[in-house]
Amino acid sequence: MTSRLSPWLTLVVMLLALPVLAADAQRTGTWGAHVREQQLQLSLHPKDKPDSHHGFSAPLADFQGLSTADGSSAPFKLVREAGTFDFEGRFKDGQGVGTWRFSPDASFTKKLAELGIPKPDADEHMLLASVNVGPQRVQALAATGQKVTTVEELVQVGIFQVTPDYVRAMASAGYPKLTIEQLVACRIHQVTPERIQGYAALGFKGLPVDSLQAMSIHGVTPDFVREMRGLGFKDLSADDLVAMRIHGVTPAFVKEMREAGYENATAQDFISMRIHGIDSIFVRSMSKKRK
């Protein structure tokens, strides 16, 4: 993962930095937006804290009354379980500016309470609307055996798209008893059922979920495994492959070092070379010094 905050994590940070208001209070402010790949990318600037902003995106089809045609100034809205965003403004060249208002749904917190989830504060309420999760997702996940118990868990479920379909697909791939925390981590690190199936086809079946996450984090893809096996490394473990990726032992590096005379080096040898800064340039320079 990169160190740059994703748009969703930026949204969390910005919203949590806002002053706490009454849970049923409306929020207002200005907005800017642009259209990208059938999504409207929004940046909201709250009136009560004009120097801050938070952003989120939603499919164009989710908005009611939206037109992004040049000169369009018709009001439009985004209706969520948690409440409604009302927008006014104008678009030109796929970009828009204007004002917004968020009106919380009064029944939302009651429905969450009936499901055992504490009442969100005003910031959390708006955040749940932005990431589009609420009682419906809680109930749908419960039907798969996943119980959401806190607002924080619900926010993470929304941000990282832990859906019932994802839960069922992971169960079908051999991981039926993951916790919400593990499912969120798998989503963050792009552990997909398809990738799990790719590992299984190469003999890596039933790996611990931590190993799956480490492999995904460090780029140990099924393609990487196949490339390394094509170079003669037939029996590498998941940990070996992760170590190679961490230290930059790529197929290109292996070929380079073999051409420099290390035809019989093991995987651990190549890892040690990387750790100690030994490459083909270093090897050739040492050879010249010996002559």
Side-chain angles (χ1 to χ4, degrees), residues 14 17-18 44-46 48-54:
M14 292 299 181
L18 294 174
L44 306 186
H45 301 263
D48 55 4
K49 196 170 183 181
D51 292 335
S52 71
H53 75 277
H54 59 272

Side-chain angles (χ1 to χ4, degrees), residues 11-157:
L11 169 62
V12 175
V13 172
M14 292 299 181
L15 277 175
L16 293 182
L18 294 174
V20 176
L21 303 177
D24 58 352
Q26 288 190 339
R27 279 274 174 74
T28 62
T30 59
W31 62 270
H34 66 275
V35 179
R36 182 179 181 184
E37 297 178 351
Q38 297 302 306
Q39 298 263 329
L40 188 63
Q41 309 277 345
L42 282 157
S43 179
L44 306 186
H45 301 263
K47 183 178 180 180
D48 55 4
K49 196 170 183 181
D51 292 335
S52 71
H53 75 277
H54 59 272
F56 68 97
S57 64
L60 296 177
D62 284 3
F63 294 88
Q64 298 178 15
L66 173 64
S67 172
T68 59
D70 283 2
S72 174
S73 59
F76 60 98
K77 64 177 59 181
L78 180 65
V79 179
R80 303 297 204 191
E81 276 187 277
T84 300
F85 292 94
D86 286 286
F87 299 91
E88 293 185 359
R90 185 177 297 274
F91 280 88
K92 184 178 180 180
D93 297 329
Q95 299 189 34
V97 293
T99 59
W100 61 272
R101 180 180 71 254
F102 175 68
S103 304
D105 186 311
S107 67
F108 182 77
T109 55
K110 180 181 178 181
K111 292 175 182 176
L112 287 180
E114 290 171 352
L115 295 169
I117 297 176
K119 181 179 181 179
D121 62 29
D123 297 328
E124 292 168 334
H125 196 133
M126 183 170 163
L127 177 53
L128 290 169
S130 299
V131 299
N132 196 24
V133 288
Q136 290 180 18
R137 180 72 63 87
V138 175
Q139 291 171 316
L141 287 172
T144 71
Q146 295 294 335
K147 185 172 177 60
V148 178
T149 59
T150 67
V151 173
E152 181 182 2
E153 285 182 344
L154 185 54
V155 168
Q156 291 177 342
V157 159

Side-chain angles (χ1 to χ4, degrees), residues 159-238:
I159 291 172
F160 299 109
Q161 288 299 298
V162 177
T163 63
D165 285 346
Y166 180 71
V167 174
R168 285 189 286 267
M170 289 294 285
S172 296
Y175 296 85
K177 297 182 179 180
L178 298 180
T179 64
I180 288 289
E181 182 180 6
Q182 288 174 319
L183 287 162
V184 167
C186 284
R187 271 302 209 189
I188 290 172
H189 301 306
Q190 300 178 24
V191 177
T192 64
E194 294 76 17
R195 179 165 288 189
I196 292 170
Q197 291 165 4
Y199 291 144
L202 292 166
F204 293 101
K205 297 181 180 180
L207 289 171
V209 69
D210 289 347
S211 293
L212 289 174
Q213 291 171 12
M215 292 171 81
S216 191
I217 289 168
H218 297 292
V220 180
T221 63
D223 284 343
F224 178 76
V225 177
R226 282 189 284 269
E227 285 185 277
M228 299 311 290
R229 287 184 177 178
L231 291 171
F233 298 105
K234 305 292 186 183
D235 300 314
L236 296 177
S237 67

